[in-house]
Amino acid sequence: MAMTQKFSGFQVNRSMLGGGVVLTGLGAVIGLAGTALVCYSLASAGRGWVQQMDTPPSELAARAINQARAASLAGLEAWKAEGQASVN
């Protein structure tokens, strides 16, 4: 028995297939253009929002880092003091 088989009766309508490919490509291009517009709109809104803020985000982040450091050092000092108090 031969391992090859012939599929008879399976015929693709090439013009319909080509039309589908073209429409799919156009849909992809339109979708990409829509995505670009949405991204641009969100970026513009974000820039405007940041410019209207009283305190820049970089300063807010620096404050939060300094507060975290201070809290960490305070916790470490309290832990060390507790350890020394229990030894004495």
Side-chain angles (χ1 to χ4, degrees):
M1 260 192 156
M3 293 300 289
T4 60
Q5 293 180 347
K6 293 185 179 180
F7 293 106
S8 60
F10 186 78
Q11 296 178 357
V12 177
N13 184 339
R14 289 182 183 253
S15 63
M16 190 179 292
L17 182 64
V21 168
V22 169
L23 288 175
T24 301
L26 286 174
V29 169
I30 291 171
L32 184 60
T35 301
L37 286 175
V38 167
C39 290
Y40 178 76
S41 174
L42 291 174
S44 295
R47 274 194 302 264
W49 178 62
V50 168
Q51 289 173 353
Q52 291 177 354
M53 293 177 81
D54 294 334
T55 307
S58 58
E59 188 176 326
L60 292 174
R63 279 189 208 166
I65 289 173
N66 288 335
Q67 290 172 349
R69 282 187 186 138
S72 176
L73 287 175
L76 179 63
E77 289 173 7
W79 180 67
K80 285 181 179 179
E82 179 66 29
Q84 289 176 355
S86 65
V87 170
N88 292 331

